[in-house]
Amino acid sequence: MQLRTHLTAIAALTLSLATSILAATIPAGTQLHPTQTFVRSNGSEPESMDPAVAETVPANQILRDLFEGLTATDTTGKTVPGVAESWKQTNPTTWVFKLRTNAKFSNGDPITAEDFVYGIRRFVDPKTASPYAATFGVFLLNGLEIAQGKKPTSELGVKALDKHTLEIKTQDPIPFMAELVSNTQLGPVHKATVEKWDKEWVKPGNMVGNGAYKLKEWKVNNRIVVEKNPNYWDATNAPLTQVTYLPIEDQFADIKLWESGETDYVYQMPPGVFDKYKAQYPKELRNQAIIGVRYYDYQTKDPAFKDVRVRKALSMVIDRDILSKRVTADGQPPAYSMIVAGTVGADPTPYEWANWPMDKKVAEAKKLLSDAGVKPGTKYSFSYNTSEYHKKMAVFVASEWKTKLGIIMETETMEFKVLAKKRHDGAFQIARNGWLADYNDATTFLALIRCDSDQNTNFHCNREAEALIKKGTQSTDAAKRKEFLTQASKMILDDYPVIPLVQYSLPRLIKSYVGGYSELNPQDHYRSKDFYIIKH
């Protein structure tokens, strides 16, 4: 795991070496299966295959196969060259990327710097309606103002210096820039295809991408199949010829399909079964800590949650130790902050009551609710997507609130893409949420609670904290930057717009004949090009 722990303002600092072979690492003597096909669960149906519009994990798992950015993430989580073979920082807010000359789109057209300019401008353009436009746009010069419709896309700090050289100017110093541009939202887009097909450009037969694979089939709520892209610059070093993604939300069904041999990869095991399957399949159960957080959002615009005392009381009485050890029971540590362990750029800021005895927490919570005029028997609605994991967590939290405070949680379940829209629309009281870091820096988590972020679905805003974040992101002093971002995180969390619950881990079952999977990937960003099927 490669973590960047400091900023630099040294001009012309080279951050990448020349092009290297980025093939799947196959140990010497390994015999490959004659059929290199892979079938995997993907958790749920993706909401879109447009890299500018997609925001969920299931969508981006597939998009990493269909598209490639300036950089990429290898199986161990290391940032490696993608379309860019090298890059350098020429001053604190300017980066220059040198594109490889043999990079092509899936239709054979060469990729140029202008394809990145078009793709990134399209991404932040309000007309595209990307739910990530402000989240990533805030890092680009004029990006946030463009996403908000205040400036034209022509003023974005992205420029083609020549056919194979791209310059990106940032709003503030960005120490994690090489990681940031591995996200496909900031990748190249084939302009002629989008202009020809409009929103239909993402359909099989229409899509032109630039990843190691291309879209072959998409049957909604059934399967997505991708096949090897012969025009990919490193196609000879991508062993798999076809990958099938299955949108399986029922995690017990996921395991049954795996056990029957119909799939090779379980996306995530349900809660409470970790020890059973660890004993049954010790060589095929994989688990690793992820830089991510499971949390619940309050809708702070709802009259029921305008009072911070109510939000604090409900958060206080949830026993996260029991949730971690007995409910999820798969190695996910309790979380009392949105900044989780392993995050660069800020320290976790746990609540002052985190280590209080539970009876003291309950007494304080009861007083807070009483002072806020909330009586036992009050009902709140909770929205979550269909999943045994989320259901079990919700049942536990509901029990905590009812037995300790007399508060009733009424639940409603739905497809994941429906929940995602519901959160953005603010059409909920409390909603299940979760976040896997897009890059390793505290700002990825702060995006969930910042005032002007499109990923802030609790709609809370603390302008004083926002000013601290601005001071931090403008600083080239790593220690000061960290101090400001840590202070801002604590200030916002003390407003209780969210309920941090546990830090992610992703226990899954993977067939022993699947090679290339690493448990050193802290963001769960894998590419199918790094996998291979061993003879069995």
Side-chain angles (χ1 to χ4, degrees):
M1 182 169 62
Q2 183 178 358
L3 303 181
R4 289 166 178 77
T5 57
H6 63 279
L7 288 165
T8 177
I10 302 175
L13 176 63
T14 300
L15 295 183
S16 173
L17 299 177
T19 307
S20 59
I21 296 299
L22 306 176
T25 304
I26 303 175
T30 300
Q31 288 188 301
L32 297 183
H33 195 281
T35 303
Q36 288 293 306
T37 59
F38 181 43
V39 181
R40 56 173 290 178
S41 164
N42 198 42
S44 61
E45 177 72 16
E47 75 284 7
S48 175
M49 283 291 95
D50 186 332
V53 176
E55 64 170 324
T56 66
V57 170
N60 280 286
Q61 299 276 29
I62 303 168
L63 288 172
R64 275 187 283 274
D65 282 353
L66 300 175
F67 296 89
E68 183 173 79
L70 291 162
T71 63
T73 303
D74 72 7
T75 192
T76 65
K78 181 182 178 181
T79 300
V80 295
V83 178
E85 61 184 6
S86 63
W87 54 92
K88 61 183 178 180
Q89 185 178 17
T90 57
N91 65 51
T93 58
T94 304
W95 295 73
V96 177
F97 295 84
K98 197 68 178 178
L99 310 188
R100 56 182 80 251
T101 58
N102 61 337
K104 298 179 181 179
F105 283 106
S106 56
N107 68 346
D109 288 352
I111 296 174
T112 68
E114 285 293 349
D115 295 312
F116 279 92
V117 174
Y118 172 73
I120 301 174
R121 284 181 176 179
R122 176 178 178 270
F123 164 58
V124 298
D125 190 334
K127 294 178 182 177
T128 304
S130 170
Y132 254 82
T135 303
F136 286 169
V138 69
F139 300 118
L140 307 175
L141 181 65
N142 298 323
L144 180 59
E145 291 85 351
I146 294 169
Q148 294 174 334
K150 298 176 181 178
K151 289 185 178 182
T153 58
S154 59
E155 293 191 28
L156 187 66
V158 181
K159 180 181 179 181
L161 299 183
D162 59 42
K163 191 174 182 179
H164 294 107
T165 308
L166 182 74
E167 177 188 81
I168 297 181
K169 288 187 175 293
T170 61
Q171 194 71 34
D172 302 311
I174 308 296
F176 47 86
M177 192 66 183
E179 290 181 64
L180 182 67
V181 295
S182 70
N183 290 281
T184 58
Q185 291 91 342
L186 300 172
V189 172
H190 192 259
K191 183 179 179 180
T193 297
V194 176
E195 291 182 341
K196 178 180 179 180
W197 297 104
D198 194 28
K199 292 183 179 181
E200 298 296 306
W201 81 277
V202 297
K203 300 293 181 64
N206 298 348
M207 179 184 283
V208 173
N210 74 311
Y213 299 85
K214 57 183 182 179
L215 186 61
K216 178 181 180 181
E217 180 183 359
W218 184 2
K219 292 185 178 180
V220 176
N221 292 321
N222 183 283
R223 67 183 61 233
I224 288 178
V225 181
V226 303
E227 61 182 354
K228 192 168 181 177
N229 172 16
N231 286 312
Y232 177 61
W233 68 269
D234 198 30
T236 57
N237 293 308
L240 296 179
T241 59
Q242 179 173 290
V243 182
T244 299
Y245 288 87
L246 304 179
I248 306 170
E249 293 195 354
D250 185 328
Q251 291 159 330
F252 286 107
D254 195 353
I255 290 179
K256 287 181 181 178
L257 288 171
W258 183 86
E259 288 183 313
S260 68
E262 295 178 68
T263 67
D264 306 311
Y265 181 108
V266 170
Y267 174 67
Q268 182 179 359
M269 293 162 52
V273 301
F274 182 83
D275 290 339
K276 171 188 174 182
Y277 287 105
K278 183 178 181 181
Q280 193 170 352
Y281 303 107
K283 295 181 180 180
E284 295 175 298
L285 191 150
R286 315 295 287 272
N287 194 24
Q288 74 246 39
I290 299 294
I291 303 175
V293 61
R294 296 185 187 275
Y295 69 101
Y296 289 169
D297 259 327
Y298 290 114
Q299 177 43 264
T300 60
K301 290 185 176 181
D302 189 293
F305 296 111
K306 285 186 176 294
D307 194 321
V308 67
R309 294 172 295 185
V310 178
R311 304 195 298 264
K312 180 178 180 180
L314 294 179
S315 183
M316 288 183 74
V317 301
I318 299 172
D319 193 323
R320 291 159 175 82
D321 288 322
I322 293 178
L323 177 64
S324 168
K325 296 174 183 177
R326 300 183 192 175
V327 180
T328 60
D330 53 13
Q332 299 189 91
Y336 293 91
S337 171
M338 294 298 281
I339 307 295
V340 299
T343 306
V344 172
D347 292 323
T349 55
Y351 296 113
E352 74 282 359
W353 46 262
N355 294 318
W356 287 7
M358 183 52 70
D359 58 352
K360 183 178 179 182
K361 293 179 186 177
V362 172
E364 177 64 15
K366 285 181 176 179
K367 182 178 185 304
L368 289 169
L369 289 181
S370 177
D371 291 346
V374 176
K375 298 179 180 180
T378 298
K379 297 179 179 180
Y380 300 124
S381 67
F382 175 73
S383 306
Y384 69 100
N385 57 295
T386 306
S387 160
E388 187 63 29
Y389 214 103
H390 306 320
K391 178 182 178 181
K392 197 164 186 177
M393 289 181 66
V395 168
F396 172 73
V397 173
S399 175
E400 292 284 87
W401 288 347
K402 184 176 181 179
T403 58
K404 294 174 180 176
L405 301 174
I407 299 298
I408 309 300
M409 176 198 281
E410 297 181 328
T411 60
E412 58 173 352
T413 63
M414 61 208 71
E415 291 183 359
F416 186 32
K417 60 184 178 182
V418 176
L419 176 65
K421 184 179 186 305
K422 195 178 186 72
R423 291 190 306 223
H424 281 297
D425 292 343
F428 67 93
Q429 282 196 310
I430 306 173
R432 172 261 157 184
N433 215 328
W435 190 256
L436 299 182
D438 292 306
Y439 51 89
N440 191 0
D441 186 78
T443 52
T444 190
F445 293 108
L446 290 174
L448 307 174
I449 48 181
R450 291 190 68 172
C451 292
D452 302 313
S453 172
D454 37 26
Q455 289 299 322
N456 176 345
T457 51
N458 55 75
F459 297 98
H460 173 73
C461 175
N462 185 319
R463 288 294 174 189
E464 188 177 349
E466 196 70 26
L468 285 174
I469 294 173
K470 193 63 177 176
K471 285 184 179 179
T473 57
Q474 290 178 336
S475 177
T476 56
D477 184 307
K480 288 183 179 179
R481 181 181 190 273
K482 185 175 185 178
E483 180 183 351
F484 285 132
L485 296 187
T486 300
Q487 288 177 4
S489 173
K490 184 177 190 320
M491 186 177 293
I492 298 171
L493 286 174
D494 283 346
D495 290 339
Y496 295 88
V498 294
I499 306 176
L501 293 169
V502 291
Q503 179 172 355
Y504 262 99
S505 71
L506 287 172
R508 51 178 56 127
L509 292 164
I510 302 176
K511 294 295 186 182
S512 57
Y513 53 73
V514 176
Y517 184 87
S518 168
E519 292 180 87
L520 300 177
N521 194 319
Q523 292 158 243
D524 198 45
H525 287 182
Y526 295 97
R527 303 174 298 174
S528 292
K529 70 169 287 187
D530 292 320
F531 295 151
Y532 52 92
I533 305 300
I534 302 168
K535 187 176 181 180
H536 61 280

